Amino acid sequence: MRWRHPSIRSHGLKLKASKPGTNTPSTSTPGSSTPQAPNVIPEFASRPFESGRTSSMESVEKVADDVKVCAEEAPATPVEGTVTTETYSRVASWGSIFYSISQYLDRPVWWAGYSVGLSLAFATYTGIISFGILYHNLPAFGPRSPNFSSSRAGWIVAGQMPFIIFLSTKNNILGFVLGMGYEKAFNAIYQLNVWHRWVGKTMFVALMAHVVGYLVLFTTKGELSREVPVLYDGWIAFAGFLCLSLFSLPAVRTSAYRLFWHAHWVGYILMFVGVSFHAEDAWHYAVAGAGLLAIDHVLRLFKTTLVTANITAVPELKCTRIEVPQLTRGWRAGQHVRLRVVSTQMGVASLFEAHPFTISSVAKNPRGEGLVLYAKACGDWTNRLYEVAGSSGSADGVEKAVGFGSAEQSTAMRMILEGPYGGPGHDVMSTFTSAFVVVGGSGITWGLSMVDEIIRDVELQRANTKLIHLVWVVQDPSSLMHLMHLLTTFLQRVSRLGRINVTISVYYTRAISNRLNELAQTTSFPSNMHLHAGRPRLETMLNEFADQTQALAISKSELSGLVVGMCGPLGLRDSVEAAQRSISGKKRSSIGGVEVVIEYVDLRL
């Protein structure tokens, strides 16, 4: 699981030398030589949860003034053992540079289910394929026309086989260049997974044109009964395509993913074998597609390792915490790994089931923490893992040990990790002046890794980030209990640094629990951690955050942009996209641009 930091790419990063004595903002009290310690919210006992928000330009100016004053007074000495002489510098993406155009291309088309840009790209591609299928093959020409040929539609299907395999592989050069993982499926022109599915639809249409055209031709010539039985290789290929297409329907993919996965392998084998024998020279396309698939799986072996993980049940989050102490580097914030369990308690079949989980820890953690995953108990496999983690016995004969943050007990279990994959691509969060991170439910693992990586880069004095606002939308507020220690640790690290302002807002949509009331009575909440009832007004919050970013610098050149990160359900994704579109072009330009990093996989596309 090795990964090297990206060099300068389309919108990656470049390094610049930091000026001696230059400081970044602080959250410490002006005029004080020591950082301000977290304090208790005064009115928490009588009014523990706020249902509304206060917003005004006074708060914007106050945050900006605090950051500037602290920047002047913060000590220039870096964290011990983390001295560095270079800082990151952001390189804007094409979408940010040409926002006057991209703002229209990224708008959703409600009746199509895609963005404007993606709809135009699909329409262009489909038009080219349709022209190849229909030219001289329209009903006006008829099967008796000398130019009529359904074989062209078949060759269009075969010609797209390497392309559709290429778009589906987890390791391919196109995804590396674009900075986009295989799993991304939201509505952007360069999303490989979305293109994989659309190309599959065009192949199915071309396949039907090929099959139906020849059936009509054989019927017209009176050769149907003689030709159909001998074309067994064609029917094998046709069966493979049908298997791929029918079991890829959203209803099947979302409700029975394992069936979808196994049907894909059966379909691929039938397709490759049938096409290879169906037409002369068609085997070139089948071998090319199979070769790309084989190369991808060989590369996966180089990213696979056998580890011993400590699993701990977390009842507050209804999930399982998985920690691999021996893995401390080799990934970026926001990336995920595919996990297989080697345990008799999970069953023999678990060895062949790979499940993706987002990494919630940061590489090269100064606290010495290894790779950490959170597996939400929401299915048969994850529920079984949760039960094993919470059982009183041991897994595979390995005794229990003390777990994370308390007297929790963890179970040692052998696992196979593959990855890392995905992540923010060429975007590096710490190159932006400010970061607004919105997560929903279990997406907090993604948000924690993002914030943790930014704070780590600030500790290394190579970050430009001055403001961070983490917004967590969760149903049950008691979910905060398990992560309270970790969130408080983040804020304490920030207060010691004195060079960055971090705010954490937790929004809960269900009634308050008794356990959280108990937490409120016994725990000191930091002043920059807030709890609210209801859902956040993201459009208002993001615009205010942009105003705070704008007020940080004396000149426009001092700002390096705002990054909006999101990980959560479909509704939250739509709200975040709508909120970032509400930022005016003038305000975007004044803060150095706005980038959006979304971690979301929509199986219905």
Side-chain angles (χ1 to χ4, degrees), residues 12 80 112 169 185 189 223 238 257 280 292 305 321 333-334 345-346 349 413 419 421 443 454 460 463 534 587 591 593:
E80 183 179 355
T169 55
I189 297 177
E223 301 175 351
F238 182 67
Y257 182 82
E280 188 178 358
L292 289 173
T305 181
R321 185 179 188 272
Q345 291 192 4
M346 290 292 294
M413 180 177 287
Y421 296 111
I454 295 176
L460 295 173
K587 185 180 295 185
I591 62 178

Side-chain angles (χ1 to χ4, degrees), residues 1 29 34 48 86 110 281 357 496 504 578 598:
M1 296 177 64
T29 306
T34 58
E86 295 179 322
W110 64 269
D281 294 333
F357 296 104
R496 288 194 296 268
I504 299 175
I598 294 180

Side-chain angles (χ1 to χ4, degrees), residues 191-206:
Q191 294 303 319
L192 304 186
N193 195 284
V194 177
W195 273 102
H196 169 74
R197 297 173 186 178
W198 188 263
V199 171
K201 295 173 183 177
T202 62
M203 290 177 66
F204 181 76
V205 172

Side-chain angles (χ1 to χ4, degrees), residues 317-567:
L317 298 177
K318 195 58 168 62
C319 69
T320 304
R321 185 179 188 272
I322 306 168
E323 181 179 358
V324 186
Q326 62 265 40
L327 293 181
T328 60
R329 64 181 64 194
W331 69 89
R332 290 182 61 197
Q335 290 190 302
H336 70 273
V337 294
R338 293 169 61 84
L339 177 68
R340 291 180 174 87
V341 174
V342 186
S343 171
T344 55
Q345 291 192 4
M346 290 292 294
V348 179
S350 63
L351 180 61
F352 305 98
E353 293 186 29
H355 296 260
F357 296 104
T358 301
I359 303 172
S360 62
S361 58
V362 64
K364 300 180 182 179
N365 195 310
R367 302 182 301 277
E369 186 180 50
L371 182 142
V372 177
L373 310 170
Y374 282 89
K376 185 176 179 61
C378 58
D380 295 338
W381 190 90
T382 51
N383 276 318
R384 180 56 182 160
L385 183 66
Y386 181 77
E387 293 173 0
V388 172
S391 63
S392 58
S394 60
D396 302 325
V398 182
E399 295 297 328
K400 293 215 167 198
V402 176
F404 165 72
S406 65
E408 295 171 336
Q409 298 295 307
S410 62
T411 301
M413 180 177 287
R414 300 288 283 176
M415 295 183 175
I416 298 176
L417 292 183
E418 177 195 330
Y421 296 111
H426 300 325
D427 289 309
V428 179
M429 305 288 277
S430 59
T431 63
F432 295 84
T433 300
S434 58
F436 189 84
V437 183
V438 184
V439 295
S442 59
I444 185 63
T445 58
W446 183 88
L448 290 177
S449 65
M450 286 293 182
V451 174
D452 199 2
E453 186 169 88
I454 295 176
I455 296 176
R456 184 202 63 185
D457 287 343
V458 172
E459 291 172 337
L460 295 173
Q461 289 193 346
R462 63 187 186 191
N464 297 324
T465 309
K466 301 176 176 66
L467 285 174
I468 300 177
H469 193 169
L470 174 62
V471 180
W472 183 20
V473 185
V474 65
Q475 291 182 344
D476 188 355
S478 64
S479 301
L480 180 63
M481 297 180 63
H482 181 78
L483 297 178
M484 188 64 195
H485 173 74
L486 183 58
L487 295 175
T488 304
T489 302
F490 279 174
L491 298 178
Q492 289 174 347
R493 289 168 61 194
V494 169
S495 65
R496 288 194 296 268
L497 285 171
R499 295 191 297 273
I500 186 173
N501 189 304
V502 177
T503 302
I504 299 175
S505 299
V506 181
Y507 287 80
Y508 63 94
T509 58
R510 287 185 180 176
I512 183 173
S513 65
N514 293 330
R515 296 189 66 186
L516 192 59
N517 273 326
E518 296 175 2
L519 179 69
Q521 302 295 332
T522 58
T523 305
S524 297
F525 277 71
S527 59
N528 45 355
M529 180 185 293
H530 311 287
L531 294 98
H532 309 272
R535 301 185 183 278
R537 298 192 293 270
L538 292 176
E539 185 171 325
T540 302
M541 294 174 64
L542 187 54
N543 275 275
E544 289 180 1
F545 190 75
D547 292 335
Q548 294 174 7
T549 304
Q550 188 176 11
L552 287 176
I554 300 176
S555 64
K556 173 182 173 182
S557 59
E558 296 182 17
L559 301 178
S560 57
L562 183 159
V563 60
V564 180
M566 179 270 166
C567 181

Side-chain angles (χ1 to χ4, degrees), residues 5 20 57 99 129 171 205 246 285 397 413 435 464 471 487 494 498:
H5 216 287
M57 286 306 297
Y99 177 71
I129 297 298
N171 303 281
V205 172
L246 295 180
Y285 300 103
M413 180 177 287
N464 297 324
V471 180
L487 295 175
V494 169

